[in-house]
């Protein structure tokens, strides 16, 4: 489907997470609720959006990766990929989803990574501190990574992009981060075996700088969109491979947000629980990750037992003692013999 304007594109999703084909718009402020639903979490208000079908009660994705690309309204992805118009493109974060992961799986080691390289905004939780310990996160660290062997400067055809221009370097730095995250995930495939789901949230603004510097009709913009599209597809393939196709990967493309995003930066070593003003006493949920499974086992067992009692009672009520009961049958035979 061709989507004009800002869009939400689903690059990868498991078979049990169904996105319907259609042109239903979704509000930017509802993206966190959509991510929560795809991961099997409950939300405060129902999401009145027909694009996401009801999911399986017994299967949940092992990971969700959301990439926000600023600077253009759409990318040239394959036509068979589900894409939806994005309306009201206000800034949003996945803090609420990260808080749910942390609350429900406090005893496990989920991976939560929220990163915006251009703003040097980073938050890691759980196993992310170990897996992405060597990930370059500041612009200075990423610039140093670009000068090393195997960087995108040597592996990608830059064509009109220049390594001597600040806007180009910022864009290539974000592409480098995508490639480095993919490489680290390939080295830590054991993440998919952890019972806790993982969450990845990336915000890329390098293309916005390319547009500001060269414009949308420039060869630099054309080459940058081609490189970014290829990098995002590779990232989606790598995430799906690590999690054995049990991951959801979405891309949000927005030309510009309607309001600036003000957010407190968080340390790479931060591991404390995310603050939740709606839950001041830090109370845990009354159910755990296996709640849906246990609920279905108890529910259907009760239904089967109830039906069994009804069937047995019905047959006993309509039973003919002279023909259906062996006790009365034996008694009748003894009376005839006497």
């Amino acid at each position: 489907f061709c989507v004009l304007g800002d869009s939400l594109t689903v690059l990868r999703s498991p078979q049990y997470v169904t996105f319907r084909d259609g042109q239903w718009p979704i509000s930017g402020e509802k993206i966190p609720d959509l991510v929560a639903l795809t991961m099997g979490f409950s939300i405060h208000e129902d999401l009145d959006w027909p694009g996401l079908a009801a999911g399986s009660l017994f299967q949940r994705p092992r990971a969700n990766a959301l990439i926000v690309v600023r600077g253009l309204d759409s990318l040239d992805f394959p036509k068979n990929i589900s894409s939806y118009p994005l309306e009201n493109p206000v800034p949003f974060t996945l803090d609420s989803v990260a808080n749910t992961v942390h609350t429900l799986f406090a005893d496990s080691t989920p991976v939560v990574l929220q990163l915006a390289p251009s703003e040097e905004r980073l938050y890691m939780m759980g196993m992310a501190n170990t897996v992405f310990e060597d990930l370059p996160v500041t612009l200075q660290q990423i610039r140093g990574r670009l000068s090393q062997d195997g960087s995108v400067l040597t592996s990608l055809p830059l064509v009109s992009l220049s390594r001597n221009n600040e806007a180009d370097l910022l864009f290539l730095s974000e592409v480098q981060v995508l490639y480095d995250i993919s490489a680290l995930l390939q080295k830590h495939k054991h993440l998919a075996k952890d019972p806790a789901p993982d969450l990845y949230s990336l915000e890329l603004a390098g293309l916005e700088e390319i547009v500001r510097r060269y414009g949308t009709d420039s060869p630099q913009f054309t080459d940058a969109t081609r490189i970014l599209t290829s990098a995002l597809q590779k990232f989606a393939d790598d995430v799906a491979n690590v999690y054995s196709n049990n991951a959801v990967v979405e891309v949000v493309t927005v030309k510009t947000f309607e309001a600036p995003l003000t957010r407190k930066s968080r340390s790479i070593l931060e591991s404390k629980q995310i603050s939740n003003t709606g839950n001041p006493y830090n109370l845990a949920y009354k159910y755990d990750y296996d709640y849906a499974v246990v609920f279905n086992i108890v529910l259907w067992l009760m239904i089967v037992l109830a039906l069994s009692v009804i069937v047995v009672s019905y047959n006993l009520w309509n039973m003919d003692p002279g023909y259906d009961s062996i006790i009365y049958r034996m008694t009748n035979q003894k009376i005839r013999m006497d």
Side-chain angles (χ1 to χ4, degrees):
F1 288 87
C2 179
V3 175
L4 298 178
D6 302 332
S7 62
L8 164 71
T9 304
V10 183
L11 292 183
R12 294 291 183 277
S13 64
Q15 294 182 351
Y16 48 85
V17 178
T18 304
F19 287 89
R20 298 189 178 101
D21 294 333
Q23 290 291 287
W24 300 289
I26 183 170
S27 176
E29 60 188 7
K30 295 297 184 181
I31 296 296
D33 290 342
L34 175 64
V35 173
L37 288 177
T38 60
M39 299 183 73
F41 300 147
S42 60
I43 56 179
H44 296 293
E45 299 179 1
D46 292 338
L47 180 63
D48 187 18
W49 186 65
L52 179 64
S56 171
L57 293 175
F58 302 99
Q59 290 180 297
R60 294 182 178 182
R62 307 309 312 157
N64 190 297
L66 175 69
I67 303 98
V68 177
V69 179
R70 290 160 43 186
L72 81 171
D73 48 21
S74 63
L75 287 169
D76 189 17
F77 290 117
K79 301 301 181 182
N80 59 343
I81 292 179
S82 300
S83 189
Y84 308 94
L86 182 70
E87 61 181 13
N88 189 26
V90 296
F92 61 87
T93 69
L94 298 186
D95 287 351
S96 59
V97 185
N99 181 55
T100 302
V101 172
H102 180 85
T103 303
L104 295 179
F105 304 95
D107 297 333
S108 302
T109 53
V111 174
V112 175
L113 172 66
Q114 295 176 273
L115 176 62
S118 62
E119 300 178 10
E120 298 187 350
R121 191 173 72 239
L122 172 71
Y123 175 65
M124 293 185 180
M125 186 182 72
M127 285 293 293
N129 291 299
T130 302
V131 175
F132 301 108
E133 181 181 5
D134 299 327
L135 181 69
V137 291
T138 66
L139 292 178
Q140 183 178 1
Q141 291 174 343
I142 301 175
R143 297 288 172 82
R145 173 69 181 90
L146 288 175
S147 62
Q148 298 175 4
D149 295 336
S151 71
V152 295
L153 292 181
T154 57
S155 60
L156 294 179
L158 304 183
V159 193
S160 60
L161 298 177
S162 172
R163 64 183 66 192
N164 298 320
N165 187 284
E166 285 297 322
D168 299 15
L169 281 179
L170 175 61
F171 168 76
L172 293 172
S173 297
E174 295 181 341
V175 175
Q176 183 65 60
V177 170
L178 281 177
Y179 275 78
D180 288 344
I181 292 176
S182 295
L184 290 172
L185 287 177
Q186 295 292 336
K187 291 173 57 178
H188 297 84
K189 292 188 176 182
H190 60 278
L191 296 175
K193 300 179 181 179
D194 193 283
D198 301 330
L199 178 66
Y200 304 91
S201 174
L202 305 174
E203 184 175 333
L204 309 180
L207 200 59
E208 192 174 41
E209 293 297 323
I210 294 289
V211 174
R212 187 178 293 114
R213 175 71 172 82
Y214 302 106
T216 56
D217 296 328
S218 63
Q220 289 86 353
F221 175 78
T222 302
D223 293 333
T225 54
R226 172 181 50 81
I227 291 175
L228 182 59
T229 302
S230 176
L232 289 173
Q233 289 179 306
K234 179 183 181 303
F235 178 79
D237 291 339
D238 292 341
V239 171
N241 179 51
V242 169
Y243 290 94
S244 301
N245 294 322
N246 288 311
V248 181
V249 182
E250 308 104 334
V251 175
V252 171
T253 52
V254 55
K255 202 163 189 177
T256 179
F257 282 119
E258 294 184 353
L261 177 62
T262 302
R263 178 177 174 181
K264 181 181 177 182
S265 61
R266 296 187 273 193
S267 169
I268 185 176
L269 299 178
E270 180 179 355
S271 60
K272 297 180 181 179
Q273 179 172 340
I274 305 171
S275 61
N276 184 2
T277 56
N279 188 8
Y281 299 105
N282 190 27
L283 298 178
Y285 287 84
K286 294 184 179 180
Y287 54 87
D288 58 12
Y289 187 68
D290 297 325
Y291 172 80
V293 177
V294 175
F295 175 81
N296 276 271
I297 292 176
V298 174
L299 173 65
W300 293 108
L301 181 61
M302 292 176 61
I303 293 176
V304 170
L305 290 176
L307 292 176
S308 300
V309 171
I310 293 174
V311 171
V312 172
S313 301
Y314 177 83
N315 283 280
L316 287 175
W317 183 265
N318 294 277
M319 183 179 68
D320 186 346
Y323 292 96
D324 297 334
S325 174
I326 189 173
I327 298 177
Y328 287 100
R329 192 179 305 164
M330 294 296 294
T331 304
N332 290 338
Q333 290 178 358
K334 185 176 181 182
I335 292 175
R336 291 174 183 173
M337 291 177 63
D338 292 341

